[in-house]
Amino acid sequence: MIIRVFRWRPEAPAARFDEFPVEAGEGTTVLDALVGIRETRAPDLAFRYACRVGMCGSCAMVVDGRERWTCRTRLRPLARQGATVTIRPLYHFPLVRDLVVDLQPFVERMKAAGAAFVPGGEPPEATLPERPAIDAAIECIGCGACVSACTMVRWDPRFPGPAALNRAFTLLADGRDAGATGRWTTVFGEDGVFRCHGQAQCTAVCPMELSPADSILRLRRKATRSLFLRT
Amino acid sequence: MTRDVADQPAPVLHRDWRSRDAWRGTRLGLWAWLLQRAAAVALVLAIVLHLRNPFLRPIQAIVLGLVLLHGLLGLRAILLDFGLPVRLHQALFIAALLLGVALYALAWWWRWY
């Protein structure tokens, strides 16, 4: 099979695809193939990875049109769908080099949506009544796959994006958090949850199997309730 | 050279919708959204044509089809807004299309033949 790899470097900014024939074993992952290519044929190929076991999320890329963790994506099933597998960097992030992108905009969107817990006056409780809803959304590790898959991020640079809104939901649902006032402005502002088109692309690609789309809909219901009730 | 490069903002990749690769990443949720919006635009045109001559059956047939498509996909969005889990959104999309076809066939049979 053939792997087509996106190549770009700042000092020679014309993007191109390089093709590499690879032999895929039963358990060969996309990341294994990239490591092999770099070791034997393209020593200057840049890509990012760390844990290699699906815990850190740093190897997120667009493989055959879909955001995936390359360390958890096997080549053989992809090869069955087509002889060529195309690997690109995540969309909507500034390119650093080849398959590496700058995740700073992800951090900025998180900050804008008030991603940090603000301690309130009440002491923490062992179990909160909101805990089941929060649990379903709290395991985000910030790989950026959902932001890359979101079409609204493309069209509205002020839209916080699925990961930041998902995080905002976990904090707004947490009765101990005291940062709701500042968070409210971004989350429920003109460029906030109501800009989401509900396509659920974020949920479809989330490797952690979270559902940012559900979190966004919960935020919308919260905003709607606030029109009628003091919440 | 280095300074020149550093002064340039790094490019940002977006999906090129003219490429086959971009559409491979398109899931049913996006199709549902696109179809509903396209039906809305087409509906505006069809209604204008319908008002100009409300007795033309082909135009009636088009208006009925577009109303069903747009309305049922809107119903799907409302159900999700009101708390149906997002994991059901694909099933709801398919159900809306099937229901639309069934209602269309029923209306066709009942109204015209």
Side-chain angles (χ1 to χ4, degrees), chain A residues 3-205:
Chain A
I3 287 190
R4 291 176 74 232
V5 183
F6 180 87
R7 304 299 302 270
W8 181 87
R9 53 173 63 186
E11 60 271 24
R16 68 176 197 271
F17 279 93
D18 284 351
E19 296 192 352
F20 301 96
V22 295
E23 291 292 325
E26 190 62 41
T28 305
T29 64
V30 174
L31 183 59
D32 291 336
L34 287 174
V35 170
I37 289 167
R38 187 170 64 182
E39 285 177 350
T40 58
R41 283 167 285 178
D44 60 339
L45 175 63
F47 52 96
R48 185 186 281 138
Y49 67 97
C51 75
R52 305 185 66 156
V53 290
M55 291 184 71
C56 71
S58 57
C59 66
M61 298 172 207
V62 178
V63 181
D64 269 358
R66 181 185 174 121
E67 287 73 10
R68 312 173 202 249
W69 289 346
T70 53
C71 71
R72 299 294 293 267
T73 305
R74 294 189 177 182
L75 270 177
R76 278 263 180 99
L78 292 174
R80 278 197 280 274
Q81 293 166 24
T84 304
V85 172
T86 304
I87 306 174
R88 299 165 176 272
L90 293 178
Y91 292 111
H92 312 322
F93 291 103
L95 291 175
V96 174
R97 184 184 169 110
D98 294 340
L99 299 167
V100 181
V101 294
D102 181 3
L103 286 169
Q104 186 62 25
F106 182 91
V107 177
E108 296 302 327
R109 285 172 196 272
M110 279 286 196
K111 281 183 183 169
F117 177 77
V118 180
E122 295 180 20
E125 295 171 28
T127 52
L128 295 164
E130 310 90 351
R131 189 72 211 190
I134 295 172
D135 275 344
I138 208 166
E139 297 293 342
C140 174
I141 60 171
C143 67
C146 61
V147 175
S148 173
C150 175
T151 57
M152 205 54 231
V153 168
R154 163 77 172 92
W155 299 111
D156 184 352
R158 291 179 300 274
F159 180 59
L165 290 172
N166 181 70
R167 175 70 177 154
F169 163 71
T170 63
L171 292 168
L172 283 167
D174 190 333
R176 303 165 304 166
D177 180 75
T181 310
R183 208 169 284 122
W184 191 269
T185 311
T186 312
V187 172
F188 300 112
E190 197 170 324
D191 297 296
V193 287
F194 296 100
R195 296 289 276 160
C196 170
H197 285 159
Q199 296 163 358
Q201 302 267 90
C202 51
T203 298
V205 302

